Amino acid sequence: MDPMSMGAIGAVLGAVGSGMANEAGRWAWESAGGVVRRIAGREVVAPTTPGQLTEVAHLVHDRVRNDPQLAHAWTLFAQGVPAQGGTLTGTFAGRAGLPASPRFFTDRQEALKALDKEATRAFDGRPRLALLHGPEGIGTSTLAIHWGWRQQTRFPDGQLYADLRTLGPDAALGTLLRQLGLPDEEIPPAAADRADLFRSCLSDRRLLLVLDHAQSAGQVRALLTSAPGVVTVVVARQPLAGLDALHVPVGPLARKDAKQLLTDLVGKPAIGAARATLPGVLDRCAGSPYALRAAAPRLTAAVPAPESPAADPALDAVGRAAEDSYRLLPPAAARLYRLAGLYAWPALDAAAAARAADLDESDAARLLEELAAVLLLDPTDVGRYRYRPAVRAHAERTAAATDGIAACSAAVTRTVEHYLNLAVAAAQAALPESWRVPAGTSPISYGDRGTAVAALTAEAQNLVQAVRAAEEFSDWDTVVRLCQALWPLQLKAGHHDILLPALQAGARTADAHFPGSRTAGSLHAQLAHTYTELRRWDEAEPEAVAAARAERAAGHTRGHASAVEFLGLLRLRQWRFTEAHDCFDEAYRILDAIGPTDEGAADLPRARALLERHRGRALRGLGSREEARERLQQALRFFRASGEAYNTARTLTDLAETHLDDAEFTAALPLVDEAIASLGQENAGYHLTHLRRLRERCVSGG
């Protein structure tokens, strides 16, 4: 393709925009803004929609096609942009991502034939898409997984699986891209870019995509592809209005098939010994595979008479199975089952369950295994446990009747406190130098930054749920402290799509209960940061302004300067370089109000050095490269002297790129080499990749 064509220019801009998940990607985006400004001869606001991106591509195309100098500038920039999704080549072929299939599987021949037919029909432009639907516990997920394993040879490029029980479309796309082999640092932050990349990756592959526990057509629509080699199976409890798919209803097992499943599970001798109780068991299980599996260990026990059948007798089968299993539990296991099930935690470990039931962690671990053994809990692939919705509903009802409201409330409160202690301890260990991290002591401790960030990452969904629980309980202090403890996770691991609901709750709580405070400023800044990383810039701006307003009202000068600085960083993303420079100037003036004995005084040299670096970045975007180099040199002197390897390397990179803007390859090369050496002990793979690409430009002279 002609690099000066509209298609090529649009592809470069699209690749840069979708690659903003890592530091190198954000650099490339800022550089693109500077190049576009130079080509246009004026400031051009960064595009945020496909239509706006096309307009910018038209602008660049019209200017470069008749100006060799501008065409050369664009070519140099475009050569440094990696192809979107290029790292995926060959990383996934043949891999199977489905959960394990159960050993025994009975009947479902009609449904299996329907799936076979959909997978093998002639492709006519319609996506190969099937919707399995049936009530909870009826075996829809098992059916999809069993069929997928049986058809493994049909999908040489592998199988993808996403459990949508706790994932929105954006987070699900992230999960699927990781399964394809894409690291977090290369997953686009914006939902539209994720969807485009996902479809691009699947366009020429032959694979199976299973979307389990879907709740609406809207939840799955962004995950669908029309690629001819992809078969998608959606699993839901009921038909999803608006989803154009082959509907495959899944109902109760016939009585003979239910008996066959029990025979497979326990053997013919046990079935013979249970001759007297078997009819009652079959009636009570109502054809539900889950209920039958739960009933298998207690076939010879007396069971209550079946309740009056509803329109669909399988609808209550899971709850009846949970009740039957619960009645046989020892008291300690029964209590843990009730109290740990009071809130919809995405996945509980022994530590959280121990706090819910006020037990030792070792006892909780043993009891969790007991509950999983009788199918009251489902173990996950990361050593945690979760409740089926109908089972958790049974646990919650039973707890209310058995333990009372006060005990139930105390159990949820203890669990939330556990997550608060975990989050605060991990945040303090992960980012000890940050004044944004909440203060206080915790009984939990972490030995190093990496372990602390890993703990926050592993518990991210539970922490979001803990924020919801604290908000429901009107525990406003816990809401804001939990949200503040998410700051290191935002900075170091991202997961902004998962954290967003919690941060929105935090900002909402701060406005209602802590207006005009440092807390409000901090939480609005955190929300602004996540909106920015998700490329939701129109929503980020009022949050950044609100952060500055609250910090100023609270008299927190350091926080006020930081909020204004953040607004400047947002302006850099938007290619509004003049306004960005003005924000950094304002932040510098605000810092001047901090006296030598005031709070934040010790951090002033570093804060000013960061602002000098940001000023240099804004000036580079404005084309004032000589002044940009002066600002960057000032920042570099501080970071070299302080020994901050990472910020030294970042500033060296900015300085090298500013020299490359003027084709000063000889001046840029030693800066790039020093930056590479500075990062020798840092975990900065994508920064190093970017630097090596810059080095190639320096050596080749183009």
Side-chain angles (χ1 to χ4, degrees):
M1 183 185 293
D2 177 5
M4 295 297 113
S5 69
M6 263 293 300
I9 293 170
V12 168
L13 290 171
V16 175
S18 67
M20 290 171 62
N22 58 68
E23 187 70 25
R26 290 187 281 273
W27 259 316
W29 181 253
E30 284 183 31
S31 296
V35 172
V36 169
R37 188 183 192 281
R38 176 182 174 186
I39 290 172
R42 59 179 174 81
E43 188 164 271
V44 177
V45 175
T48 58
T49 67
Q52 291 172 356
L53 188 143
T54 299
E55 290 177 6
V56 174
H58 269 297
L59 174 64
V60 172
H61 174 259
D62 291 345
R63 294 281 291 164
V64 301
R65 62 180 177 176
N66 296 317
D67 189 321
Q69 278 192 316
L70 295 180
H72 181 65
W74 176 258
T75 299
L76 288 178
F77 170 73
Q79 287 173 344
V81 177
Q84 186 181 32
T87 59
L88 288 177
T89 305
T91 60
F92 185 73
R95 285 174 49 194
L98 295 179
S101 180
R103 181 178 295 275
F104 300 112
F105 184 87
T106 305
D107 191 36
R108 308 305 192 195
Q109 295 307 310
E110 292 304 314
L112 291 170
K113 288 177 184 177
L115 291 174
D116 288 344
K117 186 175 180 180
E118 179 68 6
T120 57
R121 68 170 170 81
F123 183 73
D124 56 3
R126 293 176 299 149
R128 293 192 175 100
L129 173 62
L131 171 65
L132 296 176
H133 57 86
E136 186 177 352
I138 211 66
T140 46
S141 298
T142 299
L143 173 58
I145 292 165
H146 176 79
W147 181 81
W149 281 113
R150 198 175 75 163
Q151 297 292 325
Q152 191 173 6
T153 57
R154 189 188 301 280
F155 305 111
D157 292 323
Q159 300 157 320
L160 300 174
Y161 175 86
D163 187 340
L164 304 184
R165 220 175 330 209
T166 58
L167 296 178
D170 297 2
L173 282 166
T175 294
L176 294 168
L177 287 168
R178 290 182 194 97
Q179 287 184 36
L180 284 167
L182 202 74
D184 284 342
E185 294 85 351
E186 291 187 14
I187 294 175
D193 291 334
R194 287 186 178 190
D196 288 345
L197 178 57
F198 181 62
R199 294 188 180 106
S200 173
C201 292
L202 300 190
S203 62
D204 58 353
R205 296 176 185 261
R206 293 170 57 198
L207 56 75
L208 171 66
L209 171 60
V210 176
L211 304 175
D212 205 357
H213 301 110
Q215 298 158 54
S216 68
Q219 188 186 25
V220 302
R221 197 167 286 122
L223 313 177
L224 301 179
T225 173
S226 59
V230 176
V231 175
T232 303
V233 178
V234 178
V235 180
R237 288 197 209 167
Q238 56 194 7
L240 302 181
L243 188 66
D244 186 13
L246 171 69
H247 283 234
V248 183
V250 181
L253 292 174
R255 196 172 183 87
K256 67 178 180 59
D257 294 312
K259 183 178 178 181
Q260 182 60 53
L261 179 56
L262 281 174
T263 303
D264 291 338
L265 290 168
V266 302
K268 289 183 178 179
I271 292 292
R275 189 176 296 110
T277 57
L278 184 60
V281 171
L282 292 173
D283 289 342
R284 193 160 177 79
C285 291
S288 163
Y290 167 79
L292 290 161
R293 290 177 184 278
R298 44 180 165 76
L299 273 183
T300 57
V303 295
E307 301 163 7
S308 300
D312 184 348
L315 285 173
D316 296 325
V318 175
R320 290 197 296 268
E323 174 65 18
D324 292 344
S325 296
Y326 170 76
R327 290 182 185 183
L328 300 177
L329 290 175
R335 183 172 180 274
L336 177 65
Y337 165 75
R338 297 192 305 269
L339 298 182
L342 283 166
Y343 209 75
W345 304 110
L348 284 167
D349 63 4
R355 293 297 292 129
D358 203 14
L359 296 170
D360 289 337
E361 190 171 330
S362 59
D363 291 335
R366 174 178 53 80
L367 295 173
L368 288 171
E369 291 180 2
E370 291 182 17
L371 294 173
V374 296
L375 304 190
L376 287 173
L377 289 177
D378 293 335
T380 72
D381 58 357
V382 291
R384 297 166 188 253
Y385 302 85
R386 63 184 169 210
Y387 289 80
R388 291 171 178 262
V391 174
R392 195 190 72 77
H394 171 266
E396 189 174 16
R397 288 194 305 270
T398 308
T402 304
D403 302 286
I405 294 176
C408 291
S409 177
V412 176
T413 298
R414 286 194 301 269
T415 312
V416 172
E417 286 176 351
H418 163 73
Y419 285 120
L420 176 61
N421 287 332
L422 182 154
V424 169
Q428 291 172 349
L431 210 61
E433 67 276 10
S434 176
W435 50 267
R436 293 190 184 278
V437 169
T441 58
S442 170
I444 303 173
S445 62
Y446 295 92
D448 57 72
R449 293 173 184 252
T451 302
V453 173
L456 288 169
T457 302
E459 296 290 359
Q461 290 190 10
N462 283 324
L463 295 176
V464 171
Q465 196 71 335
V467 170
R468 291 192 178 107
E471 189 177 28
E472 287 180 23
F473 278 55
S474 301
D475 186 354
W476 312 121
D477 186 64
T478 295
V479 170
V480 298
R481 283 171 58 77
L482 273 167
C483 290
Q484 288 172 321
L486 297 175
W487 178 237
L489 184 57
Q490 293 175 258
L491 280 183
K492 293 177 174 288
H495 299 290
H496 299 287
D497 43 11
I498 294 173
L499 301 180
L500 180 59
L503 298 171
Q504 290 170 327
R508 185 168 61 240
T509 297
D511 283 343
H513 302 281
F514 308 96
S517 66
R518 293 173 58 160
T519 295
S522 177
L523 290 170
H524 279 293
Q526 287 181 244
L527 181 55
H529 174 78
T530 279
Y531 276 140
T532 299
E533 295 307 316
L534 293 173
R535 294 186 69 186
R536 293 167 61 167
W537 295 331
D538 289 345
E539 293 167 276
E541 182 168 341
E543 297 299 329
V545 171
R549 184 169 57 245
E551 297 282 16
R552 183 173 61 249
H556 184 209
T557 306
R558 180 70 184 90
H560 182 200
S562 178
V564 173
E565 175 187 4
F566 185 83
L567 186 58
L569 295 173
L570 172 62
R571 296 290 185 246
L572 286 181
R573 298 280 183 90
Q574 296 171 311
W575 299 353
R576 294 160 66 175
F577 297 110
T578 300
E579 292 175 58
H581 189 268
D582 291 344
C583 286
F584 299 138
D585 279 350
E586 182 183 352
Y588 211 99
R589 289 193 296 272
I590 293 170
L591 290 178
D592 287 341
I594 298 178
T597 60
D598 292 342
E599 180 187 4
D603 192 40
L604 278 178
R606 184 175 184 276
R608 286 174 172 144
L610 286 170
L611 283 170
E612 290 294 358
R613 176 182 170 241
H614 299 332
R615 280 169 156 173
R617 292 161 65 189
L619 289 164
R620 179 189 170 215
L622 289 167
S624 302
R625 290 187 285 277
E626 183 175 350
E627 189 178 354
R629 287 192 285 270
E630 292 176 5
R631 297 293 187 185
L632 292 169
Q633 286 285 5
Q634 290 183 44
L636 182 59
R637 284 192 288 272
F638 172 84
F639 292 125
R640 275 175 171 162
S642 68
E644 285 193 48
Y646 192 62
N647 273 318
T648 297
R650 292 166 75 175
T651 310
L652 285 164
T653 306
D654 289 327
L655 193 54
E657 289 190 321
T658 306
H659 282 294
L660 288 175
D661 288 342
D662 290 324
E664 296 173 351
F665 305 109
T666 302
L669 181 58
L671 299 171
V672 172
D673 285 340
E674 184 184 348
I676 291 172
S678 295
L679 291 176
Q681 302 300 317
E682 299 283 329
N683 183 18
Y686 286 89
H687 192 157
L688 284 169
T689 299
H690 179 61
L691 285 166
R692 292 185 184 110
R693 194 176 295 120
L694 291 183
R695 195 179 195 284
E696 290 174 7
R697 286 183 59 192
C698 294
V699 173
S700 65

